[in-house]
Amino acid sequence: MTFGALNMADFRTHFWGPVANWGIPLAAIADTRKDPSFISGKMTLTLSLYSLMFMRFAWKVQPRNMLLFACHFTNECAQLAQGARFINYHYIQGPDTKVYEAKEPELKTEAQS
C-alpha cells in the first residue's frame, strides 16, 4: 500500500518517529517560562548539537523527512533561546539579581485596610 510517494512502512517511519520526537521541543519551549537557574548548560549544548545533526539527517534522507526537519528546527531554536538565557543568567547578569524572581501579588490584610 502506498501513501503518496511513500509506501506504508516508510510512512510509519517518516511520520510516527518525528511525532514522538516533538516532546523534546515542546518541553524546551515550556521551560522558557521557568527560572534560568534550572537550565543545564551542558544539556542545552548537547540538545542543540543533537538537533543540528538530525536536521541534516532529515534533509539528506530520501525521501526527505520534512516533519522531522521541522521538529529539530523548532528544538534548535528553543535550545538556542535556552542557551542565551543560561549565558545571560550565569555570565552576564548574574544569579544575584532579582529580575527573574516571580512577582507575587501583594495581599492586603485587614490591618492594612
Side-chain angles (χ1 to χ4, degrees):
M1 182 173 183
T2 62
F3 184 79
L6 298 174
N7 65 30
M8 203 53 157
D10 287 339
F11 175 74
R12 286 191 297 262
T13 303
H14 284 260
F15 179 74
W16 290 113
V19 167
N21 263 336
W22 272 102
I24 298 169
L26 292 176
I29 292 168
D31 285 348
T32 59
R33 300 203 183 271
K34 294 182 180 174
D35 188 81
S37 65
F38 296 112
I39 299 171
S40 167
K42 290 179 183 178
M43 192 63 178
T44 300
L45 177 64
T46 302
L47 284 170
S48 182
L49 294 174
Y50 161 80
S51 283
L52 280 174
M53 288 189 302
F54 274 91
M55 274 196 300
R56 183 181 185 283
F57 170 79
W59 188 260
K60 291 290 186 178
V61 70
Q62 291 299 323
R64 284 191 176 142
N65 192 335
M66 296 309 288
L67 184 58
L68 183 64
F69 184 87
C71 170
H72 286 291
F73 180 79
T74 303
N75 188 44
E76 184 66 27
C77 293
Q79 294 304 329
L80 290 175
Q82 288 291 79
R85 292 179 69 224
F86 176 82
I87 291 169
N88 185 41
Y89 180 78
H90 288 284
Y91 298 105
I92 298 172
Q93 190 174 26
D96 296 334
T97 59
K98 303 291 183 192
V99 173
Y100 288 107
E101 288 185 6
K103 294 180 181 178
E104 295 182 21
E106 295 181 22
L107 299 174
K108 281 190 171 183
T109 60
E110 291 180 23
Q112 291 177 335
S113 301

